[in-house]
Amino acid sequence: MLLIPCPNCGPRDETEFHYGGQAHVPYPKDPAALNDREWAELLFYRDNPKGAFAERWVHSTGCRQWFNMLRDTVSYDIQAVYPTGAPRPDSATTTSASPEGAVQ
Amino acid sequence: MSTQQLPEHPDFLWRNPEPKSSYDAVIVGGGGHGLATAYFLAKNHGMTNIAVLEKGWLAGGNMARNTTIIRSNYLWDESAAIYEHSLKLWEILPEELEYDFLFSQRGVMNLAHTLGDVRESMRRVGANKLNGVDAEWLDPEQVKELCPILNISDNIRYPVMGATYQPRAGIAKHDHVAWAFARKCDELGVDIIQNCEVTGFLKDGNRVVGVKTNRGTINTEKVGLCAAGHSSVLAEMAGFRLPIQSHPLQALVSELHEPVHPTVVMSNHVHVYVSQAHKGELVMGAGVDSYNGYGQRGSFHVIEQQMAAAVELFPIFARAHVLRTWGGIVDTTLDASPIVGTTPVENMFVNCGWGTGGFKGTPAAGLTFAHTIATGAPHKLNKPFALERFETGALIDEHGAAAVAH
């Protein structure tokens, strides 16, 4: 059971939250311009790193607010909690959402 | 059935060779799928100058952590074809591999607890029959007859309203399956190299030409990835992405009991799946943890929910004790179907995305993936399971039949 520090309510059990997957996946500016490959990327492709991962959570049985969390996917340590829309706290030291050499 | 003696086996079933400097093909991942792939490459395609690289010990990942359920009652034609072919291979493999891994066709029941479940289940029974998969619809009385310890009374929160039943389905001893493949691979000349972790790939342009490992560089013409939960990590090293997410999936066993549970019972709705292993442990699985994780462990509330479901369905289990719990890392796709085929990197092939149900697919994954690696083109059974389906939209949605929520 993770102990998740909700930015509004403080530390609460994981069972009060729902998972939202990878954070920082923007909706395309011009959806009509996307080709099939780009649609596949948007709909089905998400990062799956072994290590630090920026992800979305919602405090369903508390404040019902979405927020972002930086968590290690091996140790499960929670490294940071920050508002939706704010940049990833460790973004200066990590690569962007698409790894180098990714198929575009 | 449960007190059957396990067969004796020799001290060494395979050699532990040093890696050679080059192979015709390298399989990354020494679990069931990797070993089956190597076996069929050697047997069906005459490729014996090949190696299976395993970063830990042989079959120590999901092959050692699954609940050993084998069945083929999937909804869509594409899935029914590959899983039914797999089941047919399970039926002949003990003889072919000359190793009795105790494949026990004791049947699998998928319970229905809501009207929606009933409709979906009946539809699936119909679809299975049309595809030549043995399937029956059972009413609650028939359920009770087949599995007397199941509680079919209507005073529980989600009463049993019926079940689908596949008589030819069952369980096998998973570690013996791995050893059976490993021994045959070894006999055919395949090098099984344990404690050999892949750290990168050598490429000539967009073509893979070698594998970097913690035991040196190995040149190879072809690479097949069979790394389940770690497939994304390998793909990133090779420079492409996979549409999979890795989640912890937990299971547990009780202490040994007299034979009480004659079949395999799965429930999508209250979510637990239970069988009794040959030695007598009750083996139970749950759903995946919601978050991405590589930790081979999950959260305890998942086990709590699974146990609540188990005790409601099987009241006598209230007296059993949890002996051991563990987790594996499963590679889930959004359509709950595997990915077996080519990749954007030339001469690199991928077999992944089997998610929560890879054990049953072991023989067919090996057969079709070996064909794909040897010929460079998919076998007709894995053609629909190509990576391209996420672009074409020809998804194979098996969330209903996959039976483990994710």
Side-chain angles (χ1 to χ4, degrees):
Chain A
M1 176 88 72
L2 304 177
L3 186 63
I4 297 176
C6 170
N8 304 307
C9 310
R12 299 291 182 92
D13 283 348
E14 178 196 336
T15 47
E16 295 189 10
F17 298 81
H18 276 97
Y19 190 54
Q22 184 185 347
H24 310 293
V25 181
Y27 193 74
K29 284 197 175 67
D30 183 8
L34 262 54
N35 63 26
D36 289 352
R37 176 68 210 173
E38 289 160 340
W39 269 118
E41 284 279 340
L42 177 68
L43 292 174
F44 302 117
Y45 283 75
R46 291 292 179 273
D47 291 347
N48 190 24
K50 187 177 183 178
F53 188 43
E55 57 195 12
R56 307 173 73 222
W57 288 83
V58 60
H59 193 185
S60 320
T61 64
C63 59
R64 303 200 296 180
Q65 301 299 303
W66 284 94
F67 59 92
N68 290 348
M69 192 159 97
L70 194 64
R71 187 179 59 91
D72 188 292
T73 59
V74 181
S75 66
Y76 302 165
D77 286 341
I78 295 164
Q79 295 162 344
V81 168
Y82 58 103
T84 297
R88 181 172 160 153
D90 65 345
S91 52
T93 57
T94 55
T95 54
S96 65
S98 293
E100 210 177 291
V103 180
Q104 296 302 322
Chain B
M1 45 132 224
S2 292
T3 51
Q4 235 184 81
Q5 286 293 308
L6 298 178
E8 291 290 321
H9 58 79
D11 290 343
F12 294 99
L13 294 170
W14 58 87
R15 299 161 291 129
N16 277 304
E18 285 298 311
K20 289 196 274 186
S21 60
S22 85
Y23 290 97
D24 294 342
V26 164
I27 307 300
V28 183
H33 285 215
L35 293 167
T37 302
Y39 169 69
F40 285 111
L41 272 174
K43 181 195 157 233
N44 290 359
H45 304 280
M47 290 180 69
T48 53
N49 181 31
I50 61 174
V52 178
L53 308 184
E54 167 54 51
K55 72 172 173 176
W57 63 93
L58 185 125
N62 293 349
M63 192 61 177
R65 296 159 196 269
N66 65 80
T67 53
T68 81
I69 298 170
I70 294 165
R71 61 190 172 86
S72 64
N73 55 350
Y74 281 71
L75 177 67
W76 299 106
D77 296 352
E78 297 87 345
S79 324
I82 194 165
Y83 286 107
E84 176 60 19
H85 194 83
S86 205
L87 179 52
K88 289 200 168 88
L89 288 171
W90 281 112
E91 288 170 333
I92 60 165
L93 275 173
E95 198 174 330
E96 183 174 321
L97 300 175
E98 299 173 290
Y99 201 114
D100 180 13
F101 47 72
L102 302 189
F103 177 38
S104 161
Q105 291 177 290
R106 58 182 67 183
V108 169
M109 234 184 242
N110 290 83
L111 302 180
H113 300 273
T114 66
L115 201 55
D117 275 359
V118 172
R119 288 175 179 145
E120 195 275 332
S121 302
M122 285 178 153
R123 177 193 180 199
R124 190 141 54 81
V125 167
N128 287 164
K129 285 180 172 167
L130 289 172
N131 275 316
V133 175
D134 58 322
E136 299 166 27
W137 170 254
L138 306 178
D139 64 29
E141 290 303 322
Q142 292 169 306
V143 167
K144 183 84 179 169
E145 205 172 301
L146 268 166
C147 188
I149 56 169
L150 249 175
N151 180 11
I152 59 158
S153 71
D154 60 5
N155 63 359
I156 61 174
R157 188 168 178 194
Y158 296 106
V160 174
M161 296 175 73
T164 65
Y165 185 59
Q166 184 178 20
R168 285 165 58 243
I171 57 172
K173 284 289 291 179
H174 47 3
D175 39 10
H176 287 232
V177 174
W179 300 338
F181 275 118
R183 188 179 66 158
K184 274 290 169 201
C185 283
D186 188 74
E187 275 177 27
L188 290 162
V190 176
D191 279 0
I192 297 169
I193 302 161
Q194 301 179 83
N195 299 311
C196 185
E197 182 170 2
V198 171
T199 55
F201 295 100
L202 296 173
K203 282 162 76 175
D204 178 7
N206 189 38
R207 189 160 55 90
V208 68
V209 293
V211 179
K212 284 188 258 181
T213 79
N214 60 347
R215 294 175 66 177
T217 298
I218 300 169
N219 297 316
T220 183
E221 286 173 23
K222 295 177 174 190
V223 173
L225 307 178
C226 286
H230 276 79
S231 298
S232 297
V233 177
L234 290 172
E236 192 176 340
M237 285 178 197
F240 67 99
R241 295 179 93 194
L242 287 168
I244 63 176
Q245 298 280 284
S246 296
H247 289 270
L249 176 61
Q250 302 181 84
L252 58 87
V253 289
S254 73
E255 73 276 52
L256 307 185
H257 291 283
E258 289 298 308
V260 290
H261 185 13
T263 180
V264 181
V265 173
M266 310 184 71
S267 167
N268 255 2
H269 194 75
V270 298
H271 217 73
V272 69
Y273 36 105
V274 190
S275 68
Q276 188 167 16
H278 296 83
K279 277 190 295 184
E281 311 102 309
L282 299 167
V283 183
M284 302 186 207
V288 299
D289 279 75
S290 65
Y291 49 78
N292 289 26
Y294 284 87
Q296 291 189 323
R297 64 187 190 283
S299 292
F300 192 72
H301 70 269
V302 175
I303 291 175
E304 191 181 358
Q305 283 165 7
Q306 159 195 7
M307 297 309 281
V311 170
E312 186 160 83
L313 290 173
F314 302 92
I316 64 167
F317 289 2
R319 302 288 185 92
H321 301 92
V322 172
L323 191 68
R324 212 165 66 242
T325 76
W326 64 88
I329 310 165
V330 297
D331 42 340
T332 61
T333 57
L334 279 157
D335 62 356
S337 284
I339 298 164
V340 187
T342 56
T343 73
V345 177
E346 211 180 314
N347 287 356
M348 182 176 282
F349 305 88
V350 70
N351 167 57
C352 70
W354 290 85
T356 59
F359 178 68
K360 70 174 83 68
T362 301
L367 180 91
T368 58
F369 196 42
H371 180 99
T372 309
I373 292 170
T375 64
H379 186 280
K380 69 176 190 314
L381 287 172
N382 69 313
K383 197 160 190 249
F385 297 96
L387 200 47
E388 288 75 32
R389 75 175 185 273
F390 297 95
E391 284 169 52
T392 62
L395 301 179
I396 304 162
D397 178 10
E398 288 290 357
H399 280 282
V404 177
H406 60 268

